Amino acid sequence: MTVFTSACPRNCYSTCSLLVHVENGKIMRIDPHPDNKATREGICLKGQSYIERVYSKERIYYPLGRNDHTKEFERISWDEAIDTISGKLKNFREEFGPQSVMFITGSGTKGLLNHVSTAFWRLFGGYTGTYGDLCWPSGLEATRLTLGDNRHSAPWDIADSKLIICWGKNPAETNIHQTNFINIAKEKGARLIVIDPRRTPTADRADLLVQPRPGTDGALALGIANLIIKSGNINRRFIDKYVLGYKKFAKAVDEYTVETVSKMTDIPVEYIEELAEYIGTMTPTTICSGFGMQRFSNSGQTMRALIALLAITGNIGKKGAGWVYANLSTHIFDRVKDPIHFFPPEKEDGIARISVSLARLGRDMLKQKDPPIKMIWVERGNPVLQVPQTPMVLEAFGGVDFRVVVDHFITDTAKQADIILPARSLFEQTDILNAYWHDYIQLQQKIIEPPKEVKPLTEVYRLLAQKLGFSKKDIKEQLPGQDESEVLDYLERRLAPFPEISLEKLKQGPVLSPCFQEIAWEDFRFKTPSGKIELFSREANQRWGVDFLPGFSEPIESVKTKGRKEYPFCLLTPNEKNSIHSQFRNLKVIRELQPEPMATLHPLDAKQKMINEGEKARIYNERGELEIRIKVDYSIKQGCVVIPNGWWFNDGAAVNLLTKGRETDMGYGTAFHDTTVQVERIGKRAKNINNSPRRSEGV
Ligand SMILES: Nc1nc2c(c(=O)[nH]1)N[C@H]1C(S)=C(S)[C@@H](COP(=O)(O)OP(=O)(O)OC[C@H]3O[C@@H](n4cnc5c(=O)[nH]c(N)nc54)[C@H](O)[C@@H]3O)O[C@H]1N2
Ligand SMILES: Nc1nc2c(c(=O)[nH]1)N[C@H]1C(S)=C(S)[C@@H](COP(=O)(O)OP(=O)(O)OC[C@H]3O[C@@H](n4cnc5c(=O)[nH]c(N)nc54)[C@H](O)[C@@H]3O)O[C@H]1N2
Ligand SMILES: [Mo]
């Protein structure tokens, strides 16, 4: 048995370090790597399931083409696949220009080799691309505007907190290794507060659970700030030295009285007072804010209001204190460390046309002119399921002439393709990974050979480049192909500016980033325009048109929105433990635990709708409809319905049939949770429903 160091490349906080046991060229066991102080407690079931995933019968092992007559997928040779694709590329480039080809990615796998793809499309002469992100940008941007940078203290620092607030974050399912450090803190006497409309597994361990009406956390934070300021529990010395705009902020929050906030958020007055007492009197305090709460059209402003609570109580730059949102200390190789990365290029460079907002993918694709989109290439993503407003995405995909999808499995997106290409697994090519919670840079090592007809994407691009006649020099420098020595050479060139991280070192285990800081901002140098923590931000106003100060407004679509009486339930679509979005759900080990999707409803809502536990109900709005089994449970706030995202069409719970393509107030994020729906017992037919995912409801 040989044991290799590797790491998990999924889009997940933990980005676990692995020890992979191999015998006779086959993976036998996967263990945690002990050198990663953040993830050494163990790997999750998804990590264990790689053994099934890599050798799964359902994996795509050769190129598939759609038969013109039967419309079914059939095995085709690599020669045919490359000839057809390169022929289409040439034709579209000639007739409509290179920007008629659209390149779409998701977050299926991390790694430096992903840069090869954009290099290819630029060498092709150009492409149309997306800006913004489905995941985290409004929180990133709110943090950057307030603190100057996106980082936080080391994952284990939270073990020294006295007060931990998981605010719209559910680490017990989405960042399981963080719960280890929360448990250590709790054993030492720390208090844990969870603020979430759901009673999550994280909340099961909490001292206090507060359940706001979704989308109102901004009001809650401003109300708490008002109480802290009125009670004199602020840290005056800290504010005077490090905070910009305190006076204006204090004046602005005056109107957020506890009674007003109680009405806005649907939280009893006593709970708001208790929160203010905790935050005003306990230190060090860490707020762990997740990404779920920033999926609203008002969420950048909300996140600014949350950070303000730490600023006025002096809980930044100290051991055990701080804002734990995203830590980009390992993002040293690319522009991601600067959230500007998510923004459309301010000046067109004449090559890439970055004109489609990911949040509005379908609608923006349909709007492209001069040239219109003729072909799409999708890799590492499942946009048909994961992007809002699925009917419109399908309409846009259906409207182009030719579609290529690269994946491991025939996903709902792959089903839209003309040609599907197989993707290599994480064990079949070496790559370098960064993370967004811990500070380790890691090697994902080639440990086994890919199946005979599976080519890594780098090789696919190399073959296309040769057909398209790219120069030998460009190919050599930018498109490393399949050969491991070329891949290692490519990666080594990326490592060159960082002598402390060599491939040799990475082969042994995870390496701390040169930007690692045990305690973020302990030097109190904030990279904001004023050098201070900016409660008052000119840039927030100038770039995004929001108020200079953090503030609150109702989400654009909420149960309070005029004209939405017909859709009185707020739909939440969080992540769950045994999947990463749409990934892993097709595997046997996972399906045994979660055979089918469920929508959770509060008992009083279920009673009013005459729906019993386990019965199917229709959940719908003007954009789409789902039929789904109901779980009746007190864990969810009244007036909300919860359906985890990522279920496949065949499972009957593709939640983005119901969401609208809408951006967040800052950062070009995606406001998935600005969604209200109606719930009806099956048998009572609703009017005017669009049943077909093929058609769209318009804008
Ligand atoms: N197991 C697992 N782990 C994952 C992922 C996965 O799919 N599965 N995905 C990874 C990725 S890409 C991401 S983005 C993260 C996301 O993981 P998290 O950051 O935990 O985000 P979510 O699961 O979207 O939402 C977290 C919580 O926010 C709550 N919430 C929703 N709306 C509101 C609100 O208005 N106010 C408050 N206070 N709370 C609200 C939800 O009920 C939910 O419990 O997890 C990563 N880790
Ligand atoms: N309603 C709603 N929708 C959401 C969310 C929500 O909270 N609510 N969350 C959003 C968030 S936070 C995120 S991050 C997005 C995620 O959106 P996506 O990144 O599109 O989602 P995944 O389901 O992870 O799909 C990744 C795909 O990449 C494939 N893949 C994995 N590895 C490789 C590889 O090495 N090569 C290639 N070519 N393919 C590979 C997988 O098989 C899978 O099909 O979803 C968003 N969608
Ligand atoms: Mo995400």
Side-chain angles (χ1 to χ4, degrees):
M1 188 98 74
T2 322
V3 182
F4 294 91
T5 292
S6 194
C8 176
R10 299 282 84 83
N11 181 359
C12 170
Y13 292 100
S14 294
T15 315
C16 290
S17 304
L18 311 175
L19 284 176
V20 187
H21 302 247
V22 179
E23 199 170 64
N24 301 328
K26 230 183 144 189
I27 293 165
M28 307 304 286
R29 213 174 86 205
I30 306 171
D31 285 337
H33 195 300
D35 292 355
N36 185 329
K37 272 174 71 182
T39 67
R40 64 183 166 203
E41 291 303 308
I43 63 171
C44 68
L45 184 65
K46 304 181 288 297
Q48 300 288 356
S49 77
Y50 278 135
I51 298 178
E52 180 186 338
R53 177 165 164 159
V54 169
Y55 302 112
S56 165
K57 278 208 190 87
E58 286 170 31
R59 197 176 151 187
I60 304 167
Y61 289 105
Y62 36 77
L64 294 166
R66 193 184 288 283
N67 182 304
D68 282 345
H69 304 290
T70 63
K71 303 287 171 208
E72 298 293 319
F73 287 115
E74 288 176 350
R75 180 176 189 158
I76 56 171
S77 69
W78 270 105
D79 281 346
E80 185 182 345
I82 296 292
D83 281 348
T84 312
I85 297 170
S86 57
K88 294 276 180 192
L89 284 171
K90 269 189 206 154
N91 289 348
F92 291 130
R93 184 171 61 184
E94 246 157 57
E95 199 174 335
F96 302 97
Q99 294 178 346
S100 64
V101 180
M102 184 164 180
F103 168 59
I104 304 172
T105 67
S107 65
T109 189
K110 283 190 255 185
L112 271 183
L113 287 178
N114 289 347
H115 294 231
V116 171
S117 311
T118 22
F120 172 89
W121 292 108
R122 293 183 72 85
L123 291 172
F124 173 66
Y127 64 100
T128 294
T130 60
Y131 63 90
D133 196 67
L134 301 174
C135 189
W136 54 347
S138 87
L140 286 180
E141 180 60 356
T143 306
R144 186 186 74 84
L145 291 168
T146 313
L147 300 170
D149 214 351
N150 270 283
R151 53 179 140 130
H152 61 63
S153 302
W156 42 90
D157 179 68
I158 202 170
D160 288 311
S161 297
K162 287 269 181 302
L163 177 64
I164 299 168
I165 307 176
C166 284
W167 199 327
K169 180 170 182 178
N170 176 22
E173 292 195 79
T174 61
N175 188 186
I176 52 173
H177 303 88
Q178 188 180 47
T179 56
N180 175 41
F181 301 112
I182 295 177
N183 288 343
I184 298 173
K186 280 199 62 134
E187 274 161 29
K188 293 198 288 185
R191 295 302 175 93
L192 172 66
I193 296 177
V194 171
I195 305 180
D196 197 310
R198 303 189 298 149
R199 180 183 171 133
T200 58
T202 308
D204 287 341
R205 307 156 196 233
D207 299 283
L208 177 66
L209 166 67
V210 176
Q211 296 181 283
R213 175 167 67 80
T216 63
D217 299 78
L220 176 61
L222 298 173
I224 296 171
N226 191 17
L227 285 173
I228 292 176
I229 290 167
K230 294 278 152 52
S231 64
N233 281 336
I234 53 166
N235 186 332
R236 174 60 71 184
R237 265 183 42 153
F238 186 91
I239 292 171
D240 288 347
K241 269 176 113 167
Y242 305 121
V243 179
L244 181 80
Y246 171 72
K247 266 199 192 139
K248 289 193 178 84
F249 177 72
K251 200 160 162 241
V253 299
D254 194 49
E255 65 180 274
Y256 289 88
T257 64
V258 70
E259 291 78 17
T260 316
V261 170
S262 171
K263 279 200 198 99
M264 285 172 158
T265 57
D266 196 25
I267 301 171
V269 165
E270 309 82 74
Y271 279 71
I272 303 170
E273 286 170 346
E274 201 173 333
L275 283 171
E277 179 72 19
Y278 268 122
I279 301 172
T281 59
M282 288 185 80
T283 193
T285 292
T286 299
I287 297 183
C288 292
S289 166
F291 303 160
M293 192 181 31
Q294 50 93 62
R295 309 194 201 286
F296 288 94
S297 54
N298 64 0
S299 56
Q301 283 293 74
T302 299
M303 301 303 263
R304 288 178 71 205
L306 263 60
I307 309 171
L309 293 174
L310 296 168
I312 63 173
T313 54
N315 275 303
I316 286 170
K318 287 202 292 202
K319 200 172 172 55
W323 172 245
V324 176
Y325 178 73
N327 180 10
L328 302 190
S329 74
T330 55
H331 290 236
I332 54 175
F333 302 107
D334 51 30
R335 294 198 298 146
V336 179
K337 69 173 187 240
D338 175 359
I340 291 288
H341 171 79
F342 294 118
F343 305 165
E346 263 145 32
K347 280 189 219 110
E348 287 274 326
D349 63 6
I351 299 175
R353 174 175 70 169
I354 307 298
S355 52
V356 172
S357 168
L358 199 51
R360 293 189 304 253
L361 179 74
R363 191 174 348 153
D364 282 8
M365 277 178 73
L366 291 166
K367 275 203 316 216
Q368 298 305 305
K369 289 202 179 69
D370 305 324
I373 309 293
K374 288 288 167 188
M375 169 172 165
I376 49 171
W377 174 287
V378 185
E379 63 182 46
R380 299 177 261 131
N382 193 357
V384 163
L385 280 187
Q386 294 308 122
V387 166
Q389 215 162 345
T390 300
M392 234 181 203
V393 176
L394 285 169
E395 184 179 327
F397 279 27
V400 303
D401 290 1
F402 189 66
R403 296 147 284 244
V404 179
V405 175
V406 191
D407 208 303
H408 296 136
F409 296 101
I410 303 183
T411 62
D412 287 310
T413 300
K415 282 183 186 155
Q416 300 299 314
D418 298 284
I419 289 186
I420 308 177
L421 298 177
R424 55 100 173 116
S425 82
L426 73 151
F427 304 115
E428 294 158 5
Q429 187 176 38
T430 299
D431 207 341
I432 290 174
L433 309 181
N434 51 26
Y436 56 84
W437 170 60
H438 61 61
D439 305 85
Y440 293 102
I441 291 165
Q442 308 189 69
L443 199 62
Q444 169 202 296
Q445 285 208 75
K446 177 169 176 178
I447 291 171
I448 53 171
E449 284 302 320
K452 218 166 89 227
E453 286 207 43
V454 171
K455 294 185 193 299
L457 256 173
T458 49
E459 175 68 5
V460 178
Y461 281 124
R462 166 73 71 89
L463 294 172
L464 287 171
Q466 283 162 347
K467 281 268 175 204
L468 291 162
F470 293 9
S471 83
K472 284 213 169 87
K473 182 170 169 286
D474 285 339
I475 292 181
K476 188 162 184 292
E477 282 172 10
Q478 301 189 51
L479 306 174
Q482 177 154 17
D483 191 71
E484 264 294 280
S485 63
E486 284 182 37
V487 169
L488 294 177
D489 177 61
Y490 178 91
L491 295 175
E492 237 158 9
R493 277 186 276 138
R494 296 297 174 290
L495 287 176
F498 311 100
E500 57 278 66
I501 327 168
S502 64
L503 276 181
E504 274 323 299
K505 253 188 159 175
L506 287 170
K507 275 188 189 157
Q508 305 309 310
V511 177
L512 279 174
S513 158
C515 301
F516 169 66
Q517 275 184 316
E518 188 91 23
I519 296 173
W521 293 292
E522 64 183 340
D523 54 2
F524 300 105
R525 293 221 178 110
F526 301 97
K527 286 194 209 145
T528 53
S530 63
K532 291 187 167 191
I533 300 171
E534 295 206 345
L535 299 188
F536 182 90
S537 166
R538 224 169 266 291
E539 196 185 345
N541 176 262
Q542 281 162 1
R543 192 184 275 274
W544 305 107
V546 298
D547 201 286
F548 293 92
L549 294 164
F552 173 71
S553 53
E554 272 289 319
I556 294 170
E557 181 174 322
S558 86
V559 291
K560 299 248 163 134
T561 308
K562 266 205 190 119
R564 283 202 80 76
K565 272 219 177 75
E566 276 179 84
Y567 308 112
F569 287 90
C570 178
L571 176 71
L572 297 180
T573 53
N575 297 308
E576 56 187 349
K577 193 168 183 175
N578 294 324
S579 59
I580 293 282
H581 305 288
S582 68
Q583 298 187 67
F584 299 97
R585 292 187 187 274
N586 54 332
L587 303 180
K588 221 171 109 209
V589 290
I590 305 291
R591 268 206 113 78
E592 269 171 15
L593 293 174
Q594 263 162 315
E596 70 166 334
M598 299 282 268
T600 311
L601 205 59
H602 189 277
L604 292 176
D605 289 332
K607 193 171 169 209
Q608 198 237 329
K609 294 285 174 189
M610 296 183 294
I611 303 168
N612 295 313
E613 164 86 18
E615 279 179 358
K616 278 201 166 180
R618 176 173 295 119
I619 297 176
Y620 64 91
N621 59 20
E622 75 278 32
R623 295 179 286 267
E625 155 176 15
L626 298 171
E627 268 184 24
I628 181 166
R629 215 172 286 290
I630 297 289
K631 181 174 179 212
V632 180
D633 198 307
Y634 277 104
S635 67
I636 177 66
K637 191 175 177 68
Q638 232 182 310
C640 300
V641 192
V642 180
I643 313 172
N645 74 82
W647 286 96
W648 297 30
F649 264 130
N650 281 348
D651 298 314
V655 284
N656 286 314
L657 284 169
L658 303 171
T659 56
K660 181 174 163 95
R662 187 183 270 134
E663 284 180 354
T664 52
D665 55 352
M666 55 183 72
Y668 304 110
T670 312
F672 290 104
H673 286 165
D674 265 44
T675 304
T676 71
V677 293
Q678 180 58 289
V679 182
E680 292 295 353
R681 225 180 123 181
I682 302 271
K684 202 169 156 191
R685 182 77 205 149
K687 290 173 287 180
N688 301 329
I689 297 304
N690 169 16
N691 257 321
S692 148
R694 269 260 161 222
R695 278 188 5 241
S696 122
E697 269 297 310
V699 259

